[in-house]
Amino acid sequence: MATTIKVKDLNLYYGSMQALKNINLDIEKNAVTALIGPSGCGKSTFLRTLDRMNDLIENVKITGEVIYEGKNIYKDYDIMELRKKIGMVFQKPNPFPMSIYDNIAYGPRIHGIRNKSVLDGIVEKSLKEAALWDEIKDRLKESAYGLSGGQQQRLCISRTLAVAPEILLMDEPTSALDPISTLKVEELMDSLKKEYTVVIVTHNMQQAGRISDNTVFFLSGEIVENGKTEDIFYRPMDKRTEDYITGRFG
Ligand code: ADP
Ligand code: MG
């Protein structure tokens, strides 16, 4: 397996509360990795350590290493460079208060791209990758707020793809969506992993089973078990994984 991110002995504390305990994990390149586990077990916290989003929270202390392309993201990366390579999609769609086009052109413009035809190309490619182009290609100048919730979330995925990241982090990206929009976002995953590495938090077990190659099971800030999704689901080694998968708690 080709590893893209290597997490070594990672601990995270909110004040005196330890939210992540000695996490060691290799994340596979060009695959979908699902993070599962009951509410409060540290999934979002862990996801945020991968692009340093926890840096914004007060009183957070982090020890250990997150190695990406041979470099420690806490020591050897400029935050702008890191955010360009590792993009995040949040639980609730959060389009900016501007046109559909400008939402997607926003990141590339920040990174210095001004040429109209280059931006047009990026907007089209990103919308196609998020399976949204056909639905909205005639509405690019309209406000993003006019889109449905499911379309807004795919717009946010497009916006993240527009800066050509290598890794896409998603924190329960379908939890605010209706079933049809959820299906559309799930269908995206398979095509996205050809070009990107996806790490997705989901509390929906069926979703993890449908879309992921690898699954990581968290409990109380620890990784109980991780591996190929089919092994975690059908041949778990740890009793706690089995109990969770079969719905006995969580
Ligand atoms: P999950 O995403 O699995 O539901 P979280 O990562 O959000 O879990 O939370 C893990 C633990 O850390 C929980 O006990 C939660 O209350 C705590 N926590 C999360 N965010 C913060 C924060 N900003 N400040 C203090 N505690 C937090
Ligand atoms: Mg969460």
Side-chain angles (χ1 to χ4, degrees):
M1 142 179 150
T3 297
T4 175
I5 294 183
K6 197 172 186 67
V7 179
K8 285 194 212 163
D9 301 327
L10 184 77
N11 293 281
L12 182 143
Y13 305 80
Y14 293 116
S16 59
M17 200 276 280
Q18 185 168 6
L20 295 176
K21 299 169 188 162
N22 201 37
I23 303 294
N24 286 281
L25 185 68
D26 287 353
I27 294 173
E28 186 179 359
K29 195 177 163 82
N30 294 110
V32 177
T33 296
L35 311 180
I36 64 166
S39 183
C41 67
K43 304 180 295 296
S44 296
T45 299
F46 176 69
L47 195 74
R48 290 196 299 263
T49 63
L50 303 180
D51 75 343
R52 294 187 52 175
M53 289 290 278
N54 293 307
D55 289 18
L56 307 170
I57 303 169
E58 251 177 87
N59 277 323
V60 166
K61 188 182 142 211
I62 298 169
T63 66
E65 296 178 3
V66 178
I67 306 292
Y68 172 49
E69 294 178 329
K71 298 195 284 184
N72 185 337
I73 70 158
Y74 286 91
K75 291 207 178 106
D76 309 325
Y77 271 96
D78 165 70
I79 203 98
M80 275 284 275
E81 183 194 358
L82 185 73
R83 295 277 161 76
K84 189 178 178 310
K85 292 187 167 192
I86 306 184
M88 174 86 84
V89 174
F90 299 91
Q91 196 164 349
K92 281 219 199 92
N94 58 345
F96 302 140
M98 50 181 80
S99 71
I100 292 166
Y101 184 100
D102 288 340
N103 261 273
I104 299 168
Y106 187 88
R109 280 175 175 146
I110 283 184
H111 292 289
I113 300 175
R114 298 271 165 228
N115 183 298
K116 170 101 171 43
S117 65
V118 174
L119 287 172
D120 286 354
I122 291 173
V123 168
E124 180 171 341
K125 175 172 186 279
S126 309
L127 283 171
K128 282 182 172 162
E129 283 182 318
L132 196 53
W133 175 252
D134 291 335
E135 282 167 57
I136 63 171
K137 61 174 185 288
D138 303 320
R139 302 167 57 186
L140 299 181
K141 297 285 170 224
E142 293 173 23
S143 166
Y145 288 164
L147 299 174
S148 73
Q151 288 173 328
Q152 287 187 8
Q153 190 62 309
R154 279 179 287 143
L155 177 69
C156 293
I157 294 171
S158 305
R159 189 177 65 192
T160 307
L161 299 179
V163 296
E166 289 165 11
I167 299 182
L168 204 55
L169 308 177
M170 300 182 158
D171 195 348
E172 305 201 23
T174 63
S175 66
L177 304 185
D178 62 84
I180 291 173
S181 304
T182 295
L183 198 66
K184 286 198 170 155
V185 171
E186 286 186 6
E187 282 168 359
L188 269 183
M189 301 292 164
D190 234 30
S191 54
L192 288 179
K193 76 183 181 197
K194 296 191 183 89
E195 215 177 323
Y196 308 92
T197 299
V198 180
V199 184
I200 178 172
V201 171
T202 176
H203 65 240
N204 180 329
M205 215 83 67
Q206 287 79 12
Q207 179 168 72
R210 279 194 297 268
I211 66 176
S212 70
D213 304 289
N214 303 310
T215 293
V216 185
F217 174 50
F218 281 83
L219 196 60
S220 310
E222 291 177 82
I223 292 179
V224 171
E225 194 170 345
N226 71 283
K228 293 265 157 233
T229 295
E230 59 199 52
D231 291 333
I232 298 295
F233 275 65
Y234 299 113
R235 294 173 286 279
M237 313 257 269
D238 194 292
K239 178 81 167 62
R240 292 168 295 175
T241 313
E242 188 182 335
D243 286 350
Y244 185 70
I245 297 286
T246 53
R248 251 166 282 192
F249 70 93

